[in-house]
Amino acid sequence: MKDYKAFVKYSKAGPRYTSYPTAVEFSTKFSYEEYLKCLKESKHNLSLYFHLPFCRSACYFCGCNVIYTAKEESKKRYLKYLFRELEILSSLLDTQKKVVQMHFGGGTPTFFSAEELESLILKIKSIFPYFDEEAELSCEIDPRFFNDAQADVLVQNGFNRISFGVQDFDERVQKEIHRIQPFDLTKEALLKVRNRGIKSVNIDLIYGLPFQNLQSFKQTLDKILLLDPDRLAIFNYAHVPWLKKNMRKFDENTLPSPDVKLQILEYCEQFLEQNHYKMIGMDHFAKEDDELFKALKDNTLHRNFQGYTTKGGVDLVGVGLTSIGEGQNYYAQNFKDLKSYEEAIERGVLPFERGVLLSDDDRLRKAVIMALMANFKLDIKEIEREFGIDFRAYFKEDLKALKEYDEFVSIEDDFIKVNETGTMLIRNIAMCFDAYLKNISEEKKVFSKTL
């Protein structure tokens, strides 16, 4: 049984470790030429991410890179440039490699019409003709913008995982976050994919939003069970108004205290466990027959910019505005502003802006941090074999920092293991191995609180 009261004192700003080094370390020091060299030398299967950045209106909690518009011509123009980016990419990357994963994120991918989505999918498959028979094809969906024609296009083109944004069903919370989404509307959208044979459905919730309390969130969870998702992502709201202007609309006095947030999280875990969902990594839950749970048991779970995945050992190629790609020894990010993105493509080059080429130390620390983040356990001997180091000598100072969490972590001869209570502090624990944190200047400390 986790001791939730023990957590409060550990709440501090820290990364979520969807990458290491984190995006704070991305810079223009990693050159376009170096990026092209990495693409050409890649020998791994591919994971493709497409960023579709448009939303009709702002959700005030959102931390994504989004463009708000109601103009149809904006979407058509964006697709034109996206197609051209794919054509440029095809001359710089071996597109005959197998695609094992593809994800449409946003923004609101289903803000694009069925015809627009199909044109994009057909273009992708013309550039990348070899999709694995068991490829994971997923799409984020806002139930407020989803119709039968869009559902047909996704299913007919092999999409097999759908993620629905819900956040909270409480009417007061929905009004405050500027996202009115009734339960019946969400249920109708979910049935569109269930009735077409899609077996894997995820629902996103957020705790820590204005006016949330334990009682209201209990009611949301009761409604979620009626939808019977295969997976749940229950995120800690990251309140970063210095980065996202839309978050400044919240009266911070309406945000639940850390104590209330922990009450919600404690209830979530107990409630979901009783209803046959298991905690997977950080923030995620899955049914016991889900492949994520099986990967956790086998210590083969991986973490990247799309969260937790079973598709390890692949190169992630990011396409579209602000998209991030990940290779074995680099991260690369496209331009965040539309004008720069379009201008690069007009010049016939990829819209690459910045990134980082990983040093030997980066690759080692990435392996350590990602193993802890994904599986709550680190095989010390495996790390020593892979990187040719003496673990305890190399990480002498890091292990000293880890002593702060002695009650949550056991360090054995061959393993570092995080106990059940410590899983809630996994970001803090991983931070002990982050070589960059102590050197980050105050103006670059942009991370959300760990609790």
Side-chain angles (χ1 to χ4, degrees):
M1 182 67 68
K2 294 185 176 74
D3 179 9
Y4 286 80
K5 291 180 181 178
F7 298 151
V8 179
K9 66 179 180 180
Y10 295 106
S11 182
K12 59 183 177 180
R16 295 182 63 84
Y17 292 115
T18 50
S19 71
Y20 182 85
T22 66
V24 171
E25 304 303 328
F26 294 3
S27 76
T28 54
K29 292 178 183 177
F30 180 43
S31 70
Y32 184 72
E33 290 71 27
E34 286 176 310
Y35 176 43
L36 296 189
K37 185 172 184 288
C38 290
L39 286 178
K40 289 176 180 177
E41 291 178 350
S42 167
K43 299 291 190 288
H44 300 89
N45 290 334
L46 298 177
S47 172
L48 305 177
Y49 173 75
F50 290 85
H51 192 66
L52 304 176
F54 298 110
C55 288
R56 191 179 297 276
S57 61
C59 298
Y60 296 158
F61 63 85
C62 183
C64 299
N65 292 294
V66 174
I67 297 171
Y68 306 111
T69 183
K71 297 178 180 178
E72 287 297 318
E73 56 266 31
S74 296
K75 294 186 290 180
K76 295 184 186 302
R77 179 183 176 92
Y78 183 73
L79 284 179
K80 181 182 76 170
Y81 279 95
L82 206 60
F83 289 2
R84 291 177 65 179
E85 182 183 355
L86 279 168
E87 289 164 2
I88 296 167
L89 189 62
S90 70
S91 67
L92 302 169
L93 173 72
D94 179 7
T95 59
Q96 302 303 297
K97 292 192 295 184
K98 190 176 292 185
V99 177
V100 299
Q101 187 178 48
M102 183 170 74
H103 183 73
F104 286 1
T108 306
T110 50
F111 189 30
F112 287 79
S113 69
E115 294 76 15
E116 289 165 339
L117 287 172
E118 185 156 49
S119 69
L120 173 57
I121 295 167
L122 293 176
K123 181 66 175 181
I124 294 166
K125 291 187 174 181
S126 73
I127 299 291
F128 297 95
Y130 298 109
F131 274 68
D132 187 81
E133 288 184 4
E134 297 183 359
E136 177 184 295
L137 307 185
S138 59
C139 183
E140 297 172 10
I141 286 176
D142 182 336
R144 300 172 302 167
F145 304 102
F146 190 49
N147 58 43
D148 287 319
Q150 291 167 319
D152 287 338
V153 164
L154 293 174
V155 171
Q156 290 165 7
N157 284 282
F159 280 72
N160 47 27
R161 295 194 186 280
I162 299 296
S163 183
F164 288 96
V166 171
Q167 323 321 332
D168 194 304
F169 280 128
D170 184 84
E171 292 181 10
R172 189 181 188 191
V173 175
Q174 288 189 355
K175 183 178 179 181
E176 187 69 13
I177 66 176
H178 201 234
R179 187 186 176 106
I180 305 301
Q181 184 179 315
F183 172 81
D184 288 344
L185 181 148
T186 303
K187 180 179 179 181
E188 181 182 348
L190 189 143
L191 288 175
K192 288 185 197 305
V193 299
R194 287 289 198 207
N195 292 340
R196 287 167 171 80
I198 288 184
K199 295 183 172 61
S200 183
V201 172
N202 174 77
I203 287 179
D204 287 348
L205 299 177
I206 296 179
Y207 69 97
L209 294 172
F211 297 115
Q212 280 181 333
N213 56 56
L214 179 58
Q215 190 56 42
S216 70
F217 210 77
K218 284 181 178 181
Q219 293 171 356
T220 287
L221 286 175
D222 287 340
K223 291 178 179 178
I224 289 295
L225 276 194
L226 298 176
L227 299 176
D228 192 30
D230 304 277
R231 300 177 181 178
L232 278 164
I234 305 181
F235 298 110
N236 179 2
Y237 167 60
H239 187 58
V240 287
W242 57 92
L243 291 178
K244 297 295 178 180
K245 292 181 180 179
N246 47 290
M247 295 181 181
R248 298 174 193 171
K249 295 182 180 293
F250 293 153
D251 177 352
E252 294 190 357
N253 292 318
T254 66
L255 298 175
S257 68
D259 282 341
V260 172
K261 289 170 68 176
L262 284 171
Q263 289 173 21
I264 292 172
L265 185 57
E266 180 177 14
Y267 180 80
C268 284
E269 283 204 53
Q270 294 172 357
F271 178 81
L272 292 173
E273 180 84 24
Q274 291 165 6
N275 287 281
H276 311 295
Y277 290 88
K278 297 291 185 182
M279 188 174 180
I280 308 294
M282 182 181 70
D283 306 322
H284 288 64
F285 299 82
K287 291 182 177 179
E288 292 183 25
D289 60 354
D290 188 277
E291 67 177 8
L292 281 184
F293 180 65
K294 295 174 183 175
L296 178 64
K297 289 180 66 177
D298 297 339
N299 294 318
T300 57
L301 194 63
H302 298 272
R303 184 164 173 78
N304 61 21
F305 284 100
Q306 275 119 58
Y308 291 98
T309 177
T310 60
K311 307 293 184 182
V314 300
D315 284 344
L316 170 62
V317 178
V319 184
L321 187 72
T322 201
S323 287
I324 296 176
E326 175 185 355
Q328 306 305 302
N329 66 336
Y330 73 90
Y331 293 102
Q333 184 170 26
N334 284 350
F335 284 106
K336 291 184 178 181
D337 69 285
L338 199 55
K339 185 172 183 288
S340 299
Y341 172 80
E342 292 180 351
E343 286 176 348
I345 292 172
E346 291 285 0
R347 297 195 306 272
V349 299
L350 291 176
F352 165 84
E353 180 184 22
R354 62 189 190 129
V356 62
L357 189 65
L358 274 61
S359 66
D360 289 343
D361 181 70
D362 289 335
R363 292 191 303 106
L364 168 57
R365 291 178 182 275
K366 176 183 177 181
V368 170
I369 288 171
M370 293 307 174
L372 290 169
M373 291 295 298
N375 297 297
F376 304 131
K377 183 168 70 172
L378 178 71
D379 186 329
I380 293 174
K381 297 300 182 186
E382 183 179 321
I383 290 291
E384 290 182 330
R385 284 193 297 271
E386 182 177 353
F387 293 95
I389 62 161
D390 179 323
F391 187 91
R392 283 172 174 76
Y394 194 98
F395 290 107
K396 181 179 178 181
E397 296 304 315
D398 310 84
L399 292 171
K400 286 181 183 177
L402 196 60
K403 287 187 177 298
E404 180 181 359
Y405 304 100
D406 267 352
E407 61 185 302
F408 309 115
V409 180
S410 62
I411 304 176
E412 304 170 2
D413 288 343
D414 294 344
F415 293 95
I416 294 177
K417 296 179 180 179
V418 180
N419 65 27
E420 187 180 3
T421 303
T423 59
M424 304 310 305
L425 293 171
I426 193 60
R427 287 167 68 183
N428 299 61
I429 291 165
M431 286 162 65
C432 295
F433 295 93
D434 189 329
Y436 292 93
L437 279 182
K438 58 181 174 291
N439 298 319
I440 292 180
S441 60
E442 284 302 318
E443 64 268 19
K444 291 179 74 174
K445 286 186 177 177
V446 296
F447 304 116
S448 62
K449 290 292 187 69
T450 55
L451 292 173

